[in-house]
Amino acid sequence: MTADHARFATRAVHAARTRDSAAARATPIYLTAGFEFDDFDHAADHFGTGAGFGYTRTGNPTVRAVERQIAALESGADALLVASGQAAVVTALLTVAGAGDHIVSSTHIYEGSRGLFLDNLSRLGIETTFVDDIADPDAWRAAIRPNTRALFAESIANARNDILDIAVVSAVADESAIPLIVDNTLATPFLVRPLEHGAAIVVHSASKFLAGHGSVLGGVIVDDGRFDPAVAGHNAPHLVLPGRNGEPSVAARHGGNARIAYARESVAPRFGASPSPLNAFLIGQGVETLGLRVERQSRNAQAVAEWLSEHPEVERVDYAGLPTHPDHATAARYLQGGFGSIFTVTLRGGLPAARDFVESVGVFIHMTHIGDVRSLVLHPGTTSHSHRTEDERLALGVHPGTLRLSIGIEDIDDLIADLSRVLETVREVVA
Ligand SMILES: *Cc1c(COP(=O)(O)O)cnc(C)c1O
């Protein structure tokens, strides 16, 4: 129908209706719940094959553009954008594991991921074994069981800045024909692309560096597209067996991309953590400047870490960019163009010094976030890691005087001046 001759209430909702033909330079924000079908057959075809766009929970052009952008930067075959980093971790794991299955994870992971393994996946019948010494391939190998469906680790971990030897752990995963899933949030694809070193799946909290400006949440799963039914099919019956109504298997329809296709068709839209197209746009725009920001943030972080490590109020700095860090050589081998910008500093004055530090900062912002263009500080011992026992905290490198810093893109002189002033106050308070 044409809206021109319709009455007021009809014109209000139909008069602006367009079918997009303008060639926008920027990715248009398709802020729409769904898409009009061309005709009867188009609708049937969309439901039959999943091709094209029908409803934003199952696909959206703005979201798709960002998926292609991030897949290209991670050297992946395809990517899937979801509503948060936590949703990315859940979706990746439920793509490879189900009830009765088992996962082996690094101990040195985001507390939210650890809670997911221990509290949520456990209730779905998915058990997790944690590996502490992630540099030792035998430790990983020893934890693998016949029902293990994935290895999980972070490329750069918080709080100790442990660096994953991706090639070594990937090789262990390959021996059992299971994927290594790497959370690459802290490193970003600017510093390292785990799929180039043998990992099968990368996940990110796009809320951090990818979006970059601390304004939106998002998450992404990137797959290497190298799923081989002949090699790994026995570990993934849901990908190689015919569908519930006898349809061809996911692997038959999508080949090497079976995992990400299953995540896109069956996991993400069913569990429902769909990204907003507006958030997708902001993530895509953030990704355009990712390299510039991470390069600058890493340079600033290196300077801050070196400066702090010389300061009399500072007991230790756990930054992989410092030659004194136990994983410095591994970091130097994997990370190109910098050592990242998230690390911890432990103050000699313990808890009182840490309290005074977070309450005195001026340029730094006291909040729970990382990867922002602004420099941020948090006291993990009383926040993110407060539910851990004292012994667990110490083993993870979270001491009473430990602060987590996320270094931004500010002028380095202003960052050092802020820290210098703050540490002067800390010295007076603690003395
Ligand atoms: C923040 C974070 C997550 C969770 O991401 P959200 O976007 O906050 O849901 C997962 N992994 C790491 C390493 C993170 O830093």
Side-chain angles (χ1 to χ4, degrees):
M1 71 166 283
T2 65
D4 307 352
H5 307 296
R7 293 175 177 78
F8 185 89
T10 308
R11 290 207 308 277
V13 292
H14 288 280
R17 217 157 110 178
T18 60
R19 304 217 72 179
D20 196 358
S21 60
R25 205 286 303 148
T27 306
I29 304 168
Y30 284 91
L31 197 58
T32 178
F35 303 86
E36 205 175 322
F37 294 116
D38 292 337
D39 53 30
F40 193 87
D41 291 337
H42 181 206
D45 183 57
H46 172 73
F47 273 78
T49 67
F53 299 103
Y55 188 56
T56 281
R57 180 158 46 69
T58 57
N60 176 286
T62 311
V63 171
R64 196 74 193 108
V66 177
E67 289 172 343
R68 276 197 291 269
Q69 181 190 24
I70 296 173
L73 295 186
E74 278 288 8
S75 299
D78 198 4
L80 175 67
L81 200 70
V82 290
S84 69
Q86 196 77 44
V89 175
V90 177
T91 302
L93 289 167
L94 293 181
T95 294
V96 298
D101 290 340
H102 174 251
I103 290 159
V104 179
S105 171
S106 160
T107 302
H108 311 283
I109 56 169
Y110 180 68
E111 287 293 294
S113 301
R114 182 170 180 272
L116 169 76
F117 292 138
L118 292 176
D119 300 331
N120 306 97
L121 294 185
S122 61
R123 295 191 60 229
L124 299 179
I126 301 170
E127 215 188 322
T128 305
T129 300
F130 291 94
V131 169
D132 195 33
D133 184 4
I134 59 170
D136 177 9
D138 288 331
W140 289 94
R141 213 173 266 125
I144 293 175
R145 305 174 186 170
N147 61 340
T148 303
R149 295 293 174 254
L151 307 185
F152 183 88
E154 297 182 5
S155 46
I156 303 179
N158 181 22
R160 292 192 325 199
N161 248 232
D162 309 74
I163 306 295
L164 183 70
D165 193 329
I166 302 165
V168 162
V169 181
S170 296
V172 174
D174 284 347
E175 290 167 10
S176 297
I178 54 177
L180 169 64
I181 303 174
V182 176
D183 183 333
N184 201 30
T185 299
L186 269 65
T188 84
F190 178 74
L191 297 180
V192 66
R193 293 166 295 281
L195 304 182
E196 293 178 358
H197 300 283
I201 299 171
V202 162
V203 294
H204 279 275
S205 167
S207 325
K208 313 294 171 50
F209 291 98
L210 299 184
H213 298 75
S215 53
V216 295
L217 302 192
V220 67
I221 301 142
V222 189
D223 192 278
D224 69 356
R226 295 190 289 244
F227 176 78
D228 183 348
V231 174
H234 62 289
N235 286 324
H238 58 299
L239 301 183
V240 298
L241 296 177
R244 185 158 26 85
N245 301 313
E247 314 91 332
S249 71
V250 186
R253 288 183 289 118
H254 297 280
N257 281 324
R259 274 185 311 242
I260 193 95
Y262 181 80
R264 183 186 306 288
E265 284 177 1
S266 209
V267 185
R270 299 258 172 74
F271 286 87
S274 314
S276 160
L278 176 60
N279 289 3
F281 171 83
L282 289 166
I283 293 164
Q285 194 166 68
V287 170
E288 291 179 4
T289 58
L290 178 69
L292 295 172
R293 286 183 284 108
V294 172
E295 192 174 35
R296 168 71 169 246
Q297 285 169 283
S298 298
R299 197 162 62 235
N300 278 354
Q302 185 76 36
V304 168
E306 286 172 8
W307 185 86
L308 283 171
S309 65
E310 301 279 302
H311 197 283
E313 295 304 318
V314 169
E315 189 172 296
R316 57 184 296 156
V317 176
D318 289 295
Y319 181 55
L322 297 176
T324 49
H325 190 281
D327 291 349
H328 179 68
T330 309
R333 211 148 37 82
Y334 280 100
L335 307 178
Q336 308 285 307
F339 292 91
S341 51
I342 293 152
F343 61 94
T344 53
V345 53
T346 300
L347 304 178
R348 287 194 196 287
L351 188 64
R355 172 188 289 273
D356 195 57
F357 187 108
V358 300
E359 292 184 348
S360 308
V361 287
V363 177
F364 278 78
I365 300 172
H366 178 205
M367 65 180 287
T368 175
H369 189 50
I370 53 171
D372 197 308
V373 288
R374 287 153 282 262
S375 293
L376 315 174
V377 60
L378 185 75
H379 182 251
T382 51
T383 60
S384 55
H385 292 68
S386 61
H387 55 285
R388 295 293 205 114
T389 67
E390 182 73 21
D391 285 350
E392 283 178 331
R393 277 199 289 271
L394 295 181
L396 292 169
V398 177
H399 304 263
T402 298
L403 296 161
R404 183 187 70 201
L405 303 180
S406 175
I407 305 298
I409 63 170
E410 299 96 335
D411 190 292
I412 184 63
D413 293 340
D414 291 324
L415 293 178
I416 300 283
D418 198 36
L419 293 171
S420 179
R421 183 187 55 75
V422 166
L423 289 174
E424 185 60 28
T425 333
V426 165
R427 189 177 63 81
E428 286 162 10
V429 166
V430 173

